[in-house]
Amino acid sequence: MKATNAHTNTQQAPRSTKSKVLAGAAVVLSVIALVVGVRLTVAAFSASGYLKAVVATNEAANLLTSDQLASFSTTNPVDERIPDKSMIVDLGEGDTTSFTFSIYNYLQNDPTVWCSKDITYNITVTVDGSKDLSQCSLALNSDAPSSFAQGSVTLSNQMLQARRKSDNVYTITLPKTDVNSAVFKVRVTVTDSGGTTVRSMAANLMPSQRAEVQSNSWDIASADKTDSNKPANFDAYNYDITVNGTKTEVFFTWNSNLVQLDPFFTVNHAGATLGKDGHSVTMTMDPGTLRVNFYRLDGKITDSTSWDDLDVKKVEQ
């Protein structure tokens, strides 16, 4: 009997070892499958999150801006903070000339990013210094013009539609005798903000005669600076680069201790290169004007800060 039992045990031992091997292999395969599954799930989630992020950047709840008007978070900004803007006009044939300004709900540098809410506003334009009000008018897009015969024009319930590129282009027509003398005071009051923090927009637009073009000349200048305005009055700063003549390479710098360049500037402008110092840009521009945005650094701008302190300037190469 003992011999028989011994024989039986030696036959069962290999089966037990084989079972353990198979069981171990099954565990390993299960772990591999689990790891692969987790990786696939993470990859799918990450890809989904990336796509959602891309789509989300196409909408923003607070986009309301203009190519000429300054934005304010109050309904009635003080006159001292409203910028004066020179509007270059051509003195061609005929007795009148014109210029335009726009209000829109998308990024100027990227029209694929627009506001997610409808925005409604009223706009009033008052003219001072005109020699002939009967020839002054304001028109929205292709609508019939409204006369400045009474000295001002108000257009109510102006709409910018949500979730699409939406803009309103206004044309001011004036007699050539008003160039260099008339001032068109534009005031916009937002009546349905749709979530935007902008409550009003304003500027004093002054039609001016085009200066004689200099070959390959360019400059950068503040669009907000006036004798009464201080940098402390603004959260962001608009600068215009103007190129005359032919295509020109421009090189500008700024005080990186006080302001920072729009972080998407080099992304939205092909060929624009940020310098290794982090506070200069080189790019080639065709004739025309380009708006550049700078943002104040938290806690760095005070009432004593001057426009010269921002040190946004051209550099001759």
Side-chain angles (χ1 to χ4, degrees), residues 107-179:
L107 290 180
Q108 186 177 18
N109 296 333
D110 187 356
T112 65
V113 181
W114 50 73
C115 188
S116 60
K117 304 288 186 180
D118 288 340
I119 298 175
T120 306
Y121 61 89
N122 300 331
I123 180 170
T124 297
V125 183
T126 304
V127 58
D128 289 340
S130 173
K131 300 178 178 65
D132 188 357
L133 288 175
S134 65
Q135 293 194 71
C136 296
S137 65
L138 172 68
L140 166 63
N141 299 327
S142 59
D143 293 351
S146 300
S147 174
F148 279 96
Q150 303 302 317
S152 67
V153 172
T154 296
L155 301 178
S156 302
N157 298 320
Q158 306 291 283
M159 170 71 76
L160 294 174
Q161 295 183 0
R163 293 187 172 87
R164 53 169 288 186
K165 175 184 175 183
S166 182
D167 55 13
N168 287 331
V169 180
Y170 298 90
T171 301
I172 291 180
T173 301
L174 64 148
K176 291 179 180 178
T177 54
D178 283 353
V179 175

Side-chain angles (χ1 to χ4, degrees), residues 32-107:
I32 294 173
L34 178 61
V35 172
V36 172
V38 169
R39 289 182 176 177
L40 290 175
T41 302
V42 171
F45 177 80
S46 300
S48 175
Y50 173 76
L51 292 175
K52 287 171 64 179
V54 171
V55 172
T57 59
N58 284 341
E59 293 188 1
N62 60 349
L63 273 178
L64 176 63
T65 186
S66 169
D67 59 343
Q68 302 297 340
L69 310 181
S71 300
F72 298 91
S73 58
T74 58
T75 302
N76 297 305
V78 295
D79 289 341
E80 289 75 13
R81 294 187 60 186
I82 297 175
D84 298 328
K85 302 294 295 292
S86 178
M87 308 297 294
I88 303 300
V89 297
D90 290 316
L91 301 181
E93 297 180 357
D95 298 328
T96 63
T97 186
S98 64
F99 63 88
T100 65
F101 64 94
S102 301
I103 299 174
Y104 39 83
N105 70 341
Y106 56 88
L107 290 180

